[in-house]
Amino acid sequence: YVGMTRSAEIADATLTSNTPSHTNYAFSKAFDQDKTTDGNNRWWPRQDALPNNVSLNWQFKNPFRVTSYKIRAGSTANRYIKAFILYGSNNGSTWTNIDDMNASSSNHQTNWAANEEKTFTVDSAGDYSYYKFVVTEANASNNYMEIREIDLIGVDYSPITDFNLPI
């Protein structure tokens, strides 16, 4: 995997969140590589935690350079997310804004379709061990928002473990 562009996997990082959410739709559902659109496969963070307390946090085992990411919306129109920011860090406390879909209303995502997946290119890619995805605004009023999946795509910098690779 070293130096290859690919989607981050569950084994690559630990996912955490302090965001209050629906007990049946936990944050772990947003990064489980399950892109199906049925059942309980979705994260429902509470809207009353906006604008600064709706986040997912990844701690990677090895640096990972996120160059793009995909978000799959849920199925309920008044639960779509509208504005968000992706941050990177090397210590988990000092954060660099690497993609901002919040600052300008022209970046706000107001035209989601049910279960639609959108791809976003990172503005300022870097090699980070921590990433934080922060939702700052919902598209409509509801008790919850709904995200089916977030897929971080980038360059993996895992150490080489097989030194018998052909040259």
Side-chain angles (χ1 to χ4, degrees), residues 19-22 44-54 76-82 135-146:
T19 303
S21 60
H22 192 287
W44 279 15
R46 293 195 52 85
Q47 278 196 19
D48 59 9
L50 290 170
N52 297 314
N53 194 30
V54 177
T76 308
N78 63 353
R79 292 189 181 135
Y80 299 152
I81 63 173
K82 179 178 180 178
V135 178
T136 56
E137 192 173 348
N139 203 34
S141 181
N142 191 293
N143 289 334
Y144 298 97
M145 292 169 287
E146 184 177 356

Side-chain angles (χ1 to χ4, degrees), residues 87-98 127-132:
Y87 296 95
S89 173
N90 283 313
N91 60 16
S93 59
T94 304
W95 296 95
T96 300
N97 181 331
I98 62 170
D127 301 334
Y128 297 108
S129 296
Y130 298 83
Y131 287 91
K132 178 166 56 172

